[in-house]
Amino acid sequence: MAAPSLAYGTFVLSLASLYNRVLGFAYQVVLVRLVHAEGIGLYNMVYPIYVMVLVLASAGIPVAIAKLVAEELARHNPAAAYRIFRRSCVYILFFALFCTLGLSAATPWILRHVFVNPDVQPAFTALIPGVLIVSVCSAFRGFFQGLQQMWPTAFTQAVEQTVRVTVGLGLAWFLLPRGVACATAGVSAGVVVGELVGLISMLGIYLRRRPRFVLPMKAEGGFVADTRRIFSLAVPVTLTRFTSTALMSLDAILIPQRLAAAGLTLSQATATYGKLVGMAETLLYTPGILTVSLATALVPAVADAAAQGNRYLLTKRIGAAVRVAILIGLPAGVVFLLLPSRLCALLFGYPDAGAILTTLAAGGPFLYLVQATTGILQGLGRAAEPLKNMLWASIFKVAGIFYATAVWGIQGTGLVLTGYLIIMAVLNLRDVTRLTGCRLDWSRLLTRPLAASFVLALVVSGLTRLGGTGATGTLTALAGGLAAYLGVLILVGGLTPAELDRLRVLIGQVMRALRR
């Protein structure tokens, strides 16, 4: 059975990711208008804790399944591949049940000592069944990834997101008359229902489409040896992911607490936190749809150049990645700086969230650089470096949130988060330079995008004054500014004809796939 190409698998996952992110953005826009800032704040307090427990429940085993199944099939030993998969499923089931029961038992303590707002209880409780569902589904996704079949993962993720959006919005609307806490419980229930449908879809695919091998009569191997192989891969993955999700959870706990310490009521602190994570950060991360896909594609591209020992090709690919991040980051930062209140009013109905976006705007270009350089470092086989850099930057972030939020409120939080992104980008770029010896020509990388961004700022400012404050004026200013940016880039050679051709081809592929 021929394995699908890496390029095809990457394209399938990237297309599913694009679909999920676009649908997720639309979902966020509608959800904000439905449950308002306070409901968004309640949900975003509990969701990072849920993700952290998911990391513990799956224990990194799906990654081990994918790698070990691929290894055994490469050795023409499907019996061992299925044996490892079965044993991994038992481990995941055990950990998931343990974490689900433990989380259920710990819920009263968590609600009493961790969250500043007791209204999170319905949303938090509704998420608990998802721990077992997602963990089991992740094992099957790891199995198909080991077979180099990416479409089951892509298909089930798209199904899961579609159901999550539909059911979540429907339940939130139905429960809203009972209060915002009940409405956010509906959002959480939508997450769990989506995950359940995703699991059912994955089980159906496994039962009907899994490969049929002629297995030897004795397919058993050493229990201890298999366990050692599984957890030697799973443990480092778990530690890395747990660290990053724990830091996310700390933000979700600490920011509302420090906002309350700054003098806000519980309701005000929750709503303000909702404006930060549900509106300002949603907009900030939206251009990252492109840079996350870039980072995914960079891993094999950089690994290939490094394996060949081709210094020229490696430098070229690193420079191209940084350049794309800059080409996306600079205009995004300018737009967020010039149109923050207009964008937040147009999309979410909360123009005051624009003040938070203003403080985050300068961090946008650095966020996209972090995503690109993380992909480069992973391609170099140095995935630990971004984690170390995140830990160093997080020391600044946690200390800054603790002090700056209590003094300057949410504006202080935004400034600290911008500083965190700057530190991460600088540390990542330092490691890329140190590990590869590549010296980037920053004057060449920055000059043309800066010139185009300056024109973008002039056009947006002019059209904003002429077009009024309504939605039409905002969209006209945004479209005109981006058109001017792209036009200037082409005129000054910031985009080559070959790059424009590739961009047209890529857009055409995506549009055709979406129509199908």
Side-chain angles (χ1 to χ4, degrees):
M1 183 175 64
S5 70
L6 176 63
Y8 176 78
T10 302
F11 175 73
V12 168
L13 285 177
S14 297
L15 188 61
S17 176
L18 177 64
Y19 171 81
N20 290 338
R21 287 173 179 272
V22 171
L23 184 60
F25 180 78
Y27 169 65
Q28 184 75 6
V29 170
V30 177
L31 191 62
V32 168
R33 293 182 174 272
L34 189 61
V35 301
H36 306 295
E38 186 177 358
I40 295 296
L42 289 173
Y43 177 72
N44 281 283
M45 283 185 201
V46 302
Y47 192 74
I49 307 292
Y50 169 68
V51 174
M52 184 176 67
V53 177
L54 280 179
V55 170
L56 290 176
S58 61
I61 294 175
V63 176
I65 293 173
K67 187 174 189 304
L68 294 177
V69 166
E71 286 180 359
E72 294 300 340
L73 291 179
R75 295 171 184 153
H76 305 289
N77 191 358
Y82 273 101
R83 184 189 71 237
I84 288 170
F85 173 59
R86 287 195 302 270
R87 287 180 173 166
S88 298
C89 285
V90 172
Y91 288 130
I92 279 189
L93 192 59
F94 171 78
F95 285 122
L97 282 171
F98 178 81
C99 289
T100 301
L101 295 175
L103 187 61
S104 299
T107 294
W109 184 91
I110 293 172
L111 294 173
R112 190 164 54 249
H113 294 96
V114 173
F115 295 116
V116 69
N117 193 328
D119 286 344
V120 301
Q121 188 268 334
F124 185 77
T125 305
L127 283 171
I128 293 176
V131 173
L132 179 61
I133 296 169
V134 174
S135 301
V136 173
C137 189
S138 67
F140 289 90
R141 285 175 177 162
F143 174 75
F144 279 107
Q145 287 165 11
L147 297 175
Q148 298 185 52
Q149 295 183 14
M150 303 302 172
W151 71 267
T153 296
F155 174 76
T156 55
Q157 286 178 342
V159 169
E160 182 181 305
Q161 179 77 326
T162 304
V163 174
R164 171 186 180 177
V165 168
T166 305
V167 175
L169 290 177
L171 288 176
W173 175 81
F174 179 75
L175 294 171
L176 189 58
R178 302 186 183 185
V180 70
C182 288
T184 53
V187 176
S188 296
V191 172
V192 175
V193 173
E195 290 162 348
L196 179 60
V197 174
L199 173 59
I200 293 170
S201 301
M202 180 60 79
L203 289 173
I205 292 170
Y206 176 78
L207 293 173
R208 297 176 59 185
R209 306 294 294 271
R210 71 184 186 277
R212 306 289 181 174
F213 297 108
V214 179
L215 301 179
M217 292 298 293
K218 186 177 181 181
E220 290 303 314
F223 173 79
V224 174
D226 281 350
T227 300
R228 186 181 297 115
R229 291 178 69 193
I230 292 167
F231 285 99
S232 65
L233 293 168
V235 170
V237 172
T238 302
L239 291 175
T240 300
R241 291 181 176 175
F242 180 77
T243 301
S244 59
T245 54
L247 291 171
M248 287 173 50
S249 300
L250 185 59
D251 289 351
I253 296 167
L254 187 59
I255 293 173
Q257 288 181 351
R258 300 312 293 168
L259 287 171
L264 275 64
T265 65
L266 286 181
S267 178
Q268 290 171 336
T270 303
T272 302
Y273 179 67
K275 292 173 187 176
L276 170 67
V277 296
M279 302 177 205
E281 285 189 350
T282 293
L283 284 170
L284 186 73
Y285 279 83
T286 297
I289 292 173
L290 300 175
T291 49
V292 167
S293 298
L294 169 69
T296 302
L298 272 173
V299 175
V302 170
D304 175 63
Q308 294 179 39
N310 190 331
R311 176 76 175 274
Y312 170 77
L313 182 61
L314 183 62
T315 302
K316 181 180 177 182
R317 287 178 175 173
I318 291 173
V322 171
R323 181 165 160 269
V324 169
I326 291 171
L327 288 173
I328 295 170
L330 285 177
V334 170
V335 168
F336 294 149
L337 195 62
L338 294 177
L339 300 174
S341 297
R342 286 170 169 259
L343 290 174
C344 290
L346 177 65
L347 292 169
F348 307 115
Y350 280 87
D352 56 328
I356 307 173
L357 182 58
T358 302
T359 62
L360 294 174
F366 296 97
L367 168 64
Y368 316 133
L369 272 175
V370 168
Q371 292 168 339
T373 51
T374 297
I376 293 169
L377 291 168
Q378 288 173 343
L380 294 170
R382 303 299 292 265
E385 305 304 321
L387 176 63
K388 293 177 185 175
N389 295 338
M390 181 179 66
L391 289 173
W392 283 113
S394 293
I395 294 173
F396 164 81
K397 182 175 70 170
V398 171
I401 288 173
F402 189 85
Y403 291 103
T405 304
V407 176
W408 296 303
I410 199 65
Q411 302 300 325
T413 307
L415 292 172
V416 169
L417 294 176
T418 296
Y420 164 79
L421 293 171
I422 293 172
I423 293 171
M424 273 283 291
V426 170
L427 292 177
N428 274 8
L429 284 168
R430 179 205 62 182
D431 286 337
V432 169
T433 302
R434 175 176 58 85
L435 293 170
T436 64
C438 297
R439 294 293 182 269
L440 299 174
D441 185 354
W442 286 103
S443 61
R444 185 171 178 273
L445 285 170
L446 288 171
T447 302
R448 290 166 181 169
L450 278 173
S453 297
F454 179 72
V455 174
L456 180 152
L458 292 178
V459 172
V460 168
S461 298
L463 290 177
T464 299
R465 286 194 293 270
L466 293 173
T469 59
T472 302
T474 301
L475 292 174
T476 300
L478 182 61
L482 292 178
Y485 175 78
L486 187 61
V488 172
L489 267 186
I490 295 171
L491 286 175
V492 300
L495 285 175
T496 65
E499 288 171 334
L500 289 171
D501 287 340
R502 285 198 295 270
L503 182 61
R504 281 195 291 269
V505 170
L506 178 61
I507 292 173
Q509 288 176 338
V510 171
M511 294 305 295
R512 284 193 296 274
L514 288 174
R515 283 197 295 270
R516 288 199 295 268

